[in-house]
Amino acid sequence: MISALDRTPPAGFDLFLEQHLKLELLRFTTAGSVDDGKSTLIGRLLHDSKSVYEDQLESLRNSRLNRSTGPLDFSLLTDGLRAEREQGITIDVAYRYFATARRKFIIADTPGHEQYTRNMATGASTADLAVILIDCTKGVLSQTRRHARIAALLGIPNLLIAINKMDLAGFSQEIFDQLKSESLALAQALAFVSAVCIPVSALAGDNVATRSHNMPWYSGLTMLEHLESVPLGRQDNAGALRFPVQYVIRPDSSFRGFAGQIAGGRVRPGDFVKALPSGQTTRIQSIVTFDGELSSAASPLSVTLRLQDEIDLSRGDMLVSTNSPPHVSRHFLAMLVWMNSQPLVLGATYILMHTTHRVRATIRAIRYRVNVDTAEHEPTGSVSMNEIAAVEIATVSPLFFDPYSRNRTTGSFILIDPLSNATVGAAMIQEPLSQIPAAAASAGSGELGDNKPLEPIRNSARARKNGHYSAAVSLSGRLGVAVELEKLLFRKNLQVTRIGDDGAPGKALAAVVGVLDAAGLIVIYSGAQISREHKQILSKVFSDCYLDLDTANLSSHDELAVRQAAELVQSLSAVNLSSLGRQQVSHA
Amino acid sequence: MTQAFQIESRQVKDKPPRSLAGKRASSPARLNHLKVLEAESIHILREAVAEFARPVMLYSIGKDSSVMLRLAQKAFFPGKVPFPLLHVDTSYKFPEMIAFRDSYAREIGADLIVHQNRQALAEGANPFSLGTQKCCGLLKTQALLGALGEGGFDAAFGGARRDEEKSRAKERIYSFRDAAGQWDPKNQRPELWNIFNSRINKGEHIRVFPLSNWTELDVWLYIYAENIPIVPLYFARERKVVLRGSSIMLALDDQELLPGERTQTLRVRMRSLGCAPCTGAIRSDADTVPKIIDEMVSFRRSERENRVIDHDEEGSMEVKKREGYF
Ligand SMILES: Nc1nc2c(ncn2[C@@H]2O[C@H](COP(=O)(O)OP(=O)(O)O)[C@@H](O)[C@H]2O)c(=O)[nH]1
């Protein structure tokens, strides 16, 4: 019955090879409270699908750390790091792999403890299915509800509830039926595409990979059978074309191709497509790959598209279907999972990464926080680590997106703290907001900080608005690089201007750049050979925020030099607006 | 395994009998796992090239590197691979590896950087007197960090897979390294969907692992399906060896034998390629890729088992990784 376990099917090795070249891929995540038996269950799946190597089994047999009542502590197979082994807990997301004759599986193993939400969200972001464990001696806990809720929120379509430790309940059908109706009711309320409930004993292996003789009353599938057969309903390739441009491939003047991974839908040569943000329409000329041109390609393939017309298109832009384009908006509502020990700061600027597009974003308002245990919406003024909240976000330039429920790639983004570079949040877009609502408008007025009447606008308020401080760089002799640098920074929505060294006397230069500095701009000063005197003026006017690019060791390759310079300018002028906000408070 | 297969070694033929590209049109529902993994890896490679100023690929000459390199060719086709390959050469590699490296890099027109920790080698670093831990520390980890620093690289692709070893299971695809090149397993950036945070400060860098989600079996299946050239040491052949402890060591021309040792000829192959003094061979008849796959699924021994280095101390891979090893 469980042919999955036969690594070498009877017809011979070539059949094995044939099968394994055609495996489907299923990604799932596992959740459970501490001690529900999650590690044991995963160890069991790996072991029973023969994915554990002999030498690993040997070291398991020899291990001094058997915490189980069985001969082998399967949970040791999945314990990753030294610190965790010593503390006897798992602390982060770990990935495991196994395959049967039908599917290859990737398990995102997320531990249950205080950082749970963050870890589970990470594992759930790419999962097709969630396994939630229930210890039948404990029943459905508030943790179980939490896990199911997070799984649903992150858009995992399928749920498998494993009622574990059935051996401790005398393999009782009555106990199982009770837990089954309770947990399936929960699943129904959360609208999963599919949900099943399976009685197992992870320790002994009952109904994990082999049918249990102890539970003849159960006629459903084993866990592995279910994992092998649950339909892979990837909705992303059913939808309309979404092609975020990742990289422009241009080996010579005769070839210009747009490389990217199809995030939704299908593309064929001849199709009309629309480029965002330009709005220009063109047709697909060809789909280029190393293995030859394709007549059609769908999500999630990575391909290179050539277009019939020369249009303005680069990284961060998107090609979409002409008849069902995504939302294009600077304001939207999103469900945000906060992942940093520093709480979210209302009005602060973060770097938002959405597909291949990077843009500065501000949290305009927090509508409510979701209580993951009760599902209640609670009013709140801040969002802390492991909390989930519905927030209104504004970006400096528009995003091209779909609701997360429609497309997990174009509907998701992460937030990065511009100063620490940490990934602080992950979010799922719900809907565009047509304008800045009243609640957000008042938060937006925070842009002036605590400016008193008649007081001039503070530098900090300008920095908050621009997302960067004023800064200056000088660059001698490389006009092309300076011009492209200005364009690149402009595209990234920095307030940038370039002035040329026209031999003006120092005094005039000081006056001009003084005004630019006060306006909060980034100034690129370019010239054939910039004098020491002029450099000193820039350095004085912009104090800390001046950089002499002549000494920055830029690449001799122009394109690289532009990128390097842009990185330098961005880190030079970077603002941590959250710290800005706090400083202001402490000054008051 | 005793079945006879119809499939012969195809490493010499031009065209694979079964191309993954298949019918030239992909049906979304039936996309096979290798195609999905390939698409994901290409996405990662392109993402890093787009976002970093100076990426480099750590090319170890092994099968994983070979797959990673092929994926890079695919990612930037018809352009060339837009970054150099870096080989950290301990000077103890098998000569066949070096020959393969040089001819293959030339063939695909790759820009190859070979780096050695010259100072340590001049001071006579070798695994016999230092022990494998220390030797690896100097000739691999230190050499690697030196090469990254010298080249000013801010991103380095590595062919490591999460299924290789327990401590790798938690590694991110973008693995952040501080200015000293160190990994902090307790303070990793969350990584969701296929969005990667490439922001770093000067001196820091990111190790990028495009093969994170591949297993050893996936790698071999892909080598088979794509007809990717690999170092001949992977294939079984009669070779001169010495038995040393429980290991079978290849007897290279310049190798000194220990007292009481003598060479003999056995049919062996290498399961993973490391340094000659520290990597043992296995007895095998597998002289084609399908036979290697067959052997792999029948014997079920983990591939790093024949490397002396990982067994010195429990959790030793993790210790090395924290220090900056791959
Ligand atoms: N009797 C019994 N014990 C189990 C079963 N599954 C796990 N356990 C035990 O429960 C304890 C916790 O298991 P573990 O896998 O470490 O739980 P985790 O914290 O969820 O990873 C260990 O002592 C296991 O041996 C089961 O099916 N039956």
Side-chain angles (χ1 to χ4, degrees):
Chain A
M1 175 183 58
I2 302 155
S3 62
L5 296 188
D6 302 335
R7 288 225 148 238
T8 46
F13 177 71
D14 43 343
L15 179 60
F16 170 90
L17 207 51
E18 198 68 55
Q19 273 176 343
H20 276 74
L21 288 169
K22 285 194 297 216
L23 296 183
E24 289 177 329
L25 180 62
L26 180 97
R27 298 179 202 243
F28 67 96
T29 177
T30 53
S33 316
V34 177
D35 282 343
D36 283 353
K38 192 164 54 67
S39 313
T40 308
L41 179 74
I42 295 173
R44 220 346 130 181
L45 279 171
L46 299 182
H47 176 264
D48 290 1
S49 63
K50 306 223 171 27
S51 304
V52 181
Y53 295 121
E54 278 307 317
D55 48 315
Q56 290 172 331
L57 270 182
E58 249 160 61
S59 84
L60 208 63
R61 283 188 203 104
N62 300 334
S63 178
R64 287 161 283 139
L65 290 166
N66 191 343
R67 291 171 298 131
S68 79
T69 51
L72 282 185
D73 186 348
F74 289 107
S75 70
L76 289 179
L77 281 175
T78 64
D79 262 359
L81 299 172
R82 169 182 282 258
E84 298 163 44
R85 276 201 303 279
E86 282 160 7
Q87 294 160 21
I89 51 157
T90 42
I91 52 169
D92 204 329
V93 188
Y95 295 85
R96 326 276 171 200
Y97 304 83
F98 69 100
T100 67
R102 294 219 186 93
R103 282 184 179 166
K104 168 187 164 119
F105 299 95
I106 301 180
I107 313 176
D109 177 14
T110 56
H113 64 99
E114 78 280 359
Q115 292 209 347
Y116 198 73
T117 304
R118 159 185 156 146
N119 291 338
M120 186 168 171
T122 301
S125 69
T126 50
D128 306 302
L129 178 142
V131 172
I132 293 185
L133 259 86
I134 294 175
D135 179 339
C136 72
T137 63
K138 294 193 206 141
V140 177
L141 306 175
S142 67
Q143 290 238 40
T144 314
R145 298 178 192 283
R146 170 192 297 213
H147 298 157
R149 202 158 280 127
I150 297 170
L153 189 70
L154 273 120
I156 302 182
N158 307 295
L159 181 66
L160 190 168
I161 300 160
I163 310 288
N164 190 29
K165 306 198 185 179
M166 287 299 293
D167 53 314
L168 296 183
F171 298 106
S172 153
Q173 177 173 15
E174 207 178 317
I175 289 177
F176 173 72
D177 284 344
Q178 172 60 33
L179 291 173
K180 177 179 166 179
S181 64
E182 222 179 303
S183 51
L184 287 185
L186 170 67
Q188 201 148 35
L190 292 170
F192 285 94
V193 175
S194 85
V196 297
C197 199
I198 303 176
V200 303
S201 167
L203 194 62
D206 293 61
N207 286 340
V208 178
T210 43
R211 189 163 300 277
S212 170
H213 300 300
N214 297 310
M215 294 177 270
W217 45 263
Y218 175 75
S219 58
L221 301 178
T222 64
M223 272 191 72
L224 199 57
E225 285 170 331
H226 183 70
L227 292 172
E228 281 193 307
S229 60
V230 61
L232 284 177
R234 291 214 178 84
Q235 74 265 57
D236 294 348
N237 52 33
L241 176 70
R242 301 288 183 261
F243 186 78
V245 175
Q246 205 180 0
Y247 188 76
V248 182
I249 294 179
R250 211 176 199 167
D252 53 56
S253 56
S254 69
F255 187 96
R256 183 165 174 248
F258 301 94
Q261 184 169 23
I262 304 170
R266 171 176 289 282
V267 61
R268 291 179 193 81
D271 282 358
F272 281 97
V273 289
K274 184 165 152 177
L276 293 173
S278 75
Q280 286 171 287
T281 299
T282 180
R283 296 175 78 165
I284 302 290
Q285 187 183 74
S286 56
I287 306 169
V288 177
T289 77
F290 181 90
D291 303 298
E293 294 196 356
L294 303 181
S295 58
S296 159
S299 163
L301 280 193
S302 286
V303 294
T304 298
L305 302 179
R306 295 185 80 181
L307 303 177
Q308 281 187 354
D309 307 290
E310 281 270 329
I311 60 168
D312 180 25
L313 194 63
S314 59
R315 177 171 167 83
D317 298 348
M318 197 184 283
L319 289 172
V320 302
S321 87
T322 46
N323 46 22
S324 108
H327 295 291
V328 179
S329 175
R330 290 181 48 220
H331 308 291
F332 43 87
L333 182 67
M335 228 10 138
L336 175 68
V337 182
W338 197 250
M339 307 187 137
N340 200 262
S341 52
Q342 295 278 326
L344 170 141
V345 177
L346 199 58
T349 296
Y350 296 97
I351 296 165
L352 184 155
M353 275 201 80
H354 171 252
T355 66
T356 59
H357 188 191
R358 229 201 261 191
V359 61
R360 279 168 306 115
T362 313
I363 315 292
R364 294 287 184 155
I366 304 172
R367 286 209 179 162
Y368 56 84
R369 174 172 60 205
V370 182
N371 181 322
V372 281
D373 295 325
T374 63
E376 268 163 31
H377 296 177
E378 305 168 342
T380 179
S382 77
V383 187
S384 311
M385 173 108 114
N386 289 310
E387 291 187 336
I388 299 175
V391 296
E392 296 172 9
I393 296 194
T395 51
V396 170
S397 59
L399 293 195
F400 328 118
F401 63 88
D402 297 281
Y404 187 74
S405 56
R406 293 265 295 279
N407 188 312
R408 277 162 100 176
T409 307
T410 57
S412 59
F413 62 84
I414 62 169
L415 293 178
I416 300 169
D417 181 311
L419 196 68
S420 70
N421 292 337
T423 302
V424 292
M428 289 124 315
I429 305 176
Q430 295 193 321
E431 62 187 33
L433 297 173
S434 50
Q435 62 207 29
I436 305 176
S442 67
S445 70
E447 270 180 357
L448 281 178
D450 38 19
N451 245 77
K452 310 254 170 2
L454 296 183
E455 197 183 55
I457 297 171
R458 294 183 187 186
N459 283 347
S460 56
R462 283 187 209 281
R464 183 190 297 282
K465 185 169 186 214
N466 292 340
H468 58 78
Y469 285 113
S470 63
V473 293
S474 59
L475 182 60
S476 299
R478 297 182 73 177
L479 186 61
V481 172
V483 170
E484 288 305 315
L485 174 62
E486 184 189 14
K487 279 196 211 156
L488 181 61
L489 295 176
F490 184 83
R491 284 188 72 95
K492 290 181 180 228
N493 285 301
L494 276 71
Q495 302 294 329
V496 61
T497 188
R498 188 176 54 82
I499 54 176
D501 177 4
D502 58 359
K507 244 188 170 155
L509 177 69
V512 170
V513 297
V515 174
L516 299 177
D517 173 50
L521 301 190
I522 289 172
V523 176
I524 300 168
Y525 189 59
S526 58
Q529 183 65 50
I530 299 171
S531 68
R532 273 242 331 251
E533 187 207 349
H534 280 191
K535 287 182 179 180
Q536 276 162 359
I537 288 167
L538 290 172
S539 153
K540 208 164 135 212
V541 170
F542 288 85
S543 50
D544 286 348
C545 273
Y546 164 70
L547 185 72
D548 181 358
L549 288 177
D550 298 346
T551 62
N553 231 339
L554 294 184
S555 164
S556 57
H557 187 275
D558 279 2
E559 238 175 273
L560 263 181
V562 170
R563 284 200 280 171
Q564 288 170 341
E567 280 288 320
L568 291 173
V569 171
Q570 283 184 290
S571 54
L572 183 68
S573 61
V575 170
N576 185 344
L577 290 162
S578 56
S579 67
L580 207 66
R582 274 195 296 282
Q583 266 166 21
Q584 282 180 347
V585 172
S586 63
H587 280 201
Chain B
M1 202 66 19
T2 49
Q3 287 100 338
F5 356 93
Q6 287 86 49
I7 307 144
E8 286 305 319
S9 169
R10 302 175 16 262
Q11 299 303 306
V12 287
K13 294 184 194 157
D14 307 331
K15 267 278 144 202
R18 294 171 197 82
S19 167
L20 289 180
K23 317 289 159 295
R24 303 216 147 181
S26 55
S27 123
R30 290 279 137 205
L31 210 53
N32 72 57
H33 77 296
L34 292 176
K35 213 59 198 156
V36 176
L37 289 174
E38 177 187 81
E40 175 184 282
S41 301
I42 290 176
H43 172 80
I44 296 164
L45 284 155
R46 287 171 172 173
E47 202 57 20
V49 167
E51 294 250 312
F52 291 98
R54 254 184 97 58
V56 67
M57 178 174 280
L58 285 139
Y59 177 69
S60 74
I61 324 177
K63 62 182 191 310
D64 303 307
S65 283
S66 299
V67 166
M68 181 164 62
L69 186 51
R70 169 60 57 89
L71 291 165
Q73 288 179 281
K74 289 196 175 196
F76 303 100
F77 177 86
K80 272 196 182 173
V81 173
F83 43 75
L85 309 183
L86 169 65
H87 179 231
V88 174
D89 188 357
T90 60
S91 83
Y92 291 105
K93 299 294 172 191
F94 295 100
E96 273 173 281
M97 290 171 69
I98 303 302
F100 179 87
R101 173 194 77 191
D102 293 341
S103 77
Y104 195 55
R106 207 174 315 116
E107 185 188 318
I108 65 166
D111 172 13
L112 175 72
I113 302 170
V114 176
H115 185 93
Q116 293 188 332
N117 184 347
R118 291 227 181 71
Q119 192 187 339
L121 286 171
E123 287 163 11
N126 71 72
F128 309 106
S129 56
L130 290 177
T132 56
Q133 291 267 19
K134 256 206 184 126
C135 185
C136 275
L138 286 170
L139 299 186
K140 284 190 187 165
T141 310
Q142 287 312 315
L144 171 60
L145 295 177
L148 293 179
E150 259 173 50
F153 299 113
D154 54 357
F157 296 105
R161 293 173 283 106
R162 287 177 178 144
D163 89 319
E164 255 175 74
E165 202 272 339
K166 272 202 273 184
S167 73
R168 292 209 195 270
K170 319 217 147 183
E171 182 83 86
R172 300 291 189 263
I173 290 173
Y174 268 38
S175 179
F176 175 83
R177 303 303 163 104
D178 65 17
Q182 298 186 8
W183 181 57
D184 180 1
K186 282 200 174 173
N187 193 17
Q188 301 195 77
R189 292 176 178 175
E191 205 165 73
L192 293 96
W193 301 290
N194 61 353
I195 310 177
F196 303 104
N197 176 354
S198 61
R199 303 252 319 175
I200 51 171
N201 292 326
K202 221 179 153 83
E204 299 167 342
H205 72 274
I206 302 265
R207 303 265 171 100
V208 180
F209 299 113
L211 303 184
S212 287
N213 285 325
W214 295 58
T215 61
E216 189 187 8
L217 179 59
D218 296 331
V219 165
W220 281 115
L221 288 170
Y222 194 74
I223 286 171
Y224 169 65
E226 295 280 319
N227 203 20
I228 297 172
I230 50 172
V231 181
L233 285 169
Y234 281 114
F235 298 106
R237 182 159 79 58
E238 310 272 302
R239 290 188 168 91
K240 234 166 56 173
V241 298
V242 289
L243 302 183
R244 186 170 292 162
S246 59
S247 308
I248 305 171
M249 310 305 290
L250 292 199
L252 303 177
D253 293 342
D254 58 347
Q255 182 159 336
E256 289 165 39
L257 297 184
L258 303 179
E261 284 182 343
R262 53 179 190 79
T263 61
Q264 54 185 300
T265 301
L266 289 178
R267 200 165 162 77
V268 298
R269 66 180 201 87
M270 311 301 294
R271 179 143 175 217
S272 80
L273 298 181
C275 291
C278 297
T279 314
I282 55 169
R283 284 173 205 261
S284 169
D285 275 325
D287 53 6
T288 66
V289 174
K291 286 187 197 173
I292 289 174
I293 295 173
D294 189 6
E295 181 187 279
M296 202 190 106
V297 298
S298 331
F299 290 125
R300 312 298 308 149
R301 310 286 297 187
S302 66
E303 63 195 300
R304 303 189 73 90
E305 192 198 23
N306 298 314
R307 297 230 191 152
V308 183
I309 166 166
D310 297 347
H311 303 283
D312 275 6
E313 185 193 329
E314 208 191 330
S316 73
M317 175 63 100
E318 187 186 325
V319 174
K320 287 209 311 276
K321 274 174 60 64
R322 283 171 190 256
E323 289 164 357
Y325 182 73
F326 247 76

